[in-house]
């Protein structure tokens, strides 16, 4: 496919994914004092009880303009598939002044990671209170793009270096992780210039990125011992297939098998677009781990 055709495909897919009306949650709850420290809950639409709980982490290159609203149609789609859903908001970048026309700053160190860790720790109790239909013993974490990075990272906190403030003493009680076009290998993504230097910004700039990589890069936090699957569009020009493959290779070298589902003719956004066939495949991948 030519570069111009790939760009045209990406534009069309992005417009389709973002054209769905925002879906209001059934309940919301805070996991901290900051306005971004909130979780939206969606009850399974079929009324079932004991539904697996999907914790959803949105993407958007860890940048402030992109919040959980754009994945609310996906949350509703999963709820219509019989899942309970917890859609997590977290602090992102964008509060630092920037030049006109430049991208917003990506991520906030350490707040982005503080929030994801705190949210994942709080979700079981919050869901038990706000969403009694959910079975908090069956949790699958999923995330798209930058949210895919955070989902993989959240499942690897027990592998963090000693002394890390986010380290868990034991693996988190998850059924698994389904990462959607994730920024899964930060070094590979930085080398490819993914999202306009977002990885370096997430880690606090050039001077900080190397020492922080050990705490932030899922590809450096292996093996996790937690079932992990990646869904990746072959035509993705936002987070290329090579980034997912780098993570899968790192996992294999660490003695762990990570499932990689490659979708031909699919770019970045169909994975979260309820109107796209790719979204049904995502739901099936989650089902395989949840049930």
């Amino acid at each position: 496919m030519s570069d111009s055709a790939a760009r045209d495909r990406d534009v069309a897919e992005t417009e389709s994914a973002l054209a769905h009306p925002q879906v209001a949650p059934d309940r919301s709850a805070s996991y901290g004092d900051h306005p971004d420290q909130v979780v939206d809950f969606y009850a399974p639409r079929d009324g079932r009880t004991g539904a697996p709980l999907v914790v959803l982490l949105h993407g958007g290159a860890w940048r402030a303009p992109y919040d959980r609203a754009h994945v609310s149609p996906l949350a509703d789609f999963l709820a219509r598939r019989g899942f309970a859903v917890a859609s997590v908001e977290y602090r992102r970048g964008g509060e630092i002044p920037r030049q006109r026309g430049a991208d917003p700053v990506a991520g906030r160190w350490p707040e982005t990671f503080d929030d994801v860790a705190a949210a994942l720790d709080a979700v079981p109790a919050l869901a038990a209170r706000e969403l009694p239909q959910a079975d908090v013993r069956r949790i699958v974490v999923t995330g798209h793009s930058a949210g895919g990075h955070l989902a993989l990272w959240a499942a690897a906190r027990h592998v963090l270096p000693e002394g890390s403030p986010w380290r868990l003493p034991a693996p988190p009680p998850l059924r698994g992780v389904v990462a959607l076009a994730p920024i899964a290998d930060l070094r590979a993504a930085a080398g490819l210039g993914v999202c306009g230097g977002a990885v370096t910004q997430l880690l606090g700039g050039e001077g900080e990125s190397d020492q922080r990589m050990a705490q932030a890069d899922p590809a450096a936090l292996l093996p996790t011992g937690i079932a992990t699957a990646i869904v990746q569009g072959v035509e993705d020009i936002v987070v290329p297939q090579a980034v997912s493959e780098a993570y899968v290779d790192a996992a294999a070298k660490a003695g762990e098998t990570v499932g990689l589902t490659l979708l031909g003719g699919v770019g970045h956004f169909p994975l979260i677009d309820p109107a796209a066939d790719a979204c049904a495949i995502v739901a099936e991948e989650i089902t395989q781990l949840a049930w």
Side-chain angles (χ1 to χ4, degrees):
M1 180 181 292
S2 69
D3 289 347
S4 61
R7 288 192 296 270
D8 289 345
R9 174 197 287 273
D10 182 62
V11 169
E13 290 177 338
T14 303
E15 289 177 349
S16 177
L18 301 183
H20 301 280
Q22 182 177 345
V23 180
D26 297 301
R27 301 289 295 271
S28 295
S30 297
Y31 63 88
D33 296 330
H34 192 277
D36 284 337
Q37 293 174 322
V38 63
V39 181
D40 288 342
F41 291 100
Y42 296 80
R45 303 309 187 209
D46 58 7
R48 75 174 67 185
T49 58
L53 178 63
V54 179
V55 178
L56 173 60
L57 293 159
H58 71 82
W62 312 284
R63 290 178 170 134
Y66 310 101
D67 61 17
R68 68 193 186 283
H70 79 274
V71 294
S72 65
L74 173 61
D76 179 67
F77 176 83
L78 294 173
R80 287 188 278 114
R81 291 293 185 110
F83 293 106
V85 182
S87 182
V88 174
E89 192 56 272
Y90 53 89
R91 282 174 284 183
R92 300 153 332 273
E95 296 188 358
I96 301 172
R98 62 186 189 277
Q99 294 180 339
R100 184 183 299 275
D103 286 331
V105 175
R108 293 171 63 177
W109 184 280
E111 290 90 346
T112 297
F113 297 92
D114 287 343
D115 287 359
V116 172
L120 268 292
D121 290 345
V123 155
L126 292 177
R129 185 186 74 199
E130 304 291 341
L131 203 63
Q133 302 95 324
D135 182 352
V136 297
R137 298 167 301 177
R138 290 189 290 168
I139 297 177
V140 175
V141 180
T142 191
H144 178 242
S145 195
H149 158 263
L150 295 172
L152 294 169
W153 179 85
R157 289 170 56 205
H158 58 295
V159 193
L160 283 166
E162 293 283 353
S164 170
W166 308 300
R167 181 180 168 91
L168 292 175
L174 304 175
R175 282 293 181 93
V177 182
V178 179
L180 315 176
I183 306 179
D185 185 312
L186 294 187
R187 291 190 186 278
L192 292 168
V194 167
C195 298
V199 170
T200 301
Q201 293 172 9
L202 171 71
L203 300 177
E206 292 284 355
E208 303 287 354
S209 60
D210 280 345
Q211 70 179 66
R212 291 176 175 173
M213 192 72 76
Q215 292 197 69
D217 187 1
L221 301 173
L222 291 162
T224 66
I226 292 174
T228 301
I230 293 176
V231 184
Q232 174 74 47
V234 173
E235 306 298 337
D236 193 333
I237 63 172
V238 179
V239 183
Q241 177 180 333
V243 177
S244 288
E245 290 177 335
Y247 177 84
V248 171
D249 289 346
K253 290 176 183 176
E256 191 159 76
T257 299
V258 170
L260 176 60
T261 298
L262 297 175
L263 303 182
V266 171
H268 193 62
F269 279 95
L271 304 179
I272 63 167
D273 182 354
D277 291 342
C279 202
I281 295 173
V282 167
E284 181 58 30
E285 292 283 349
I286 294 171
T287 298
Q288 292 296 320
L289 294 179
W291 293 103

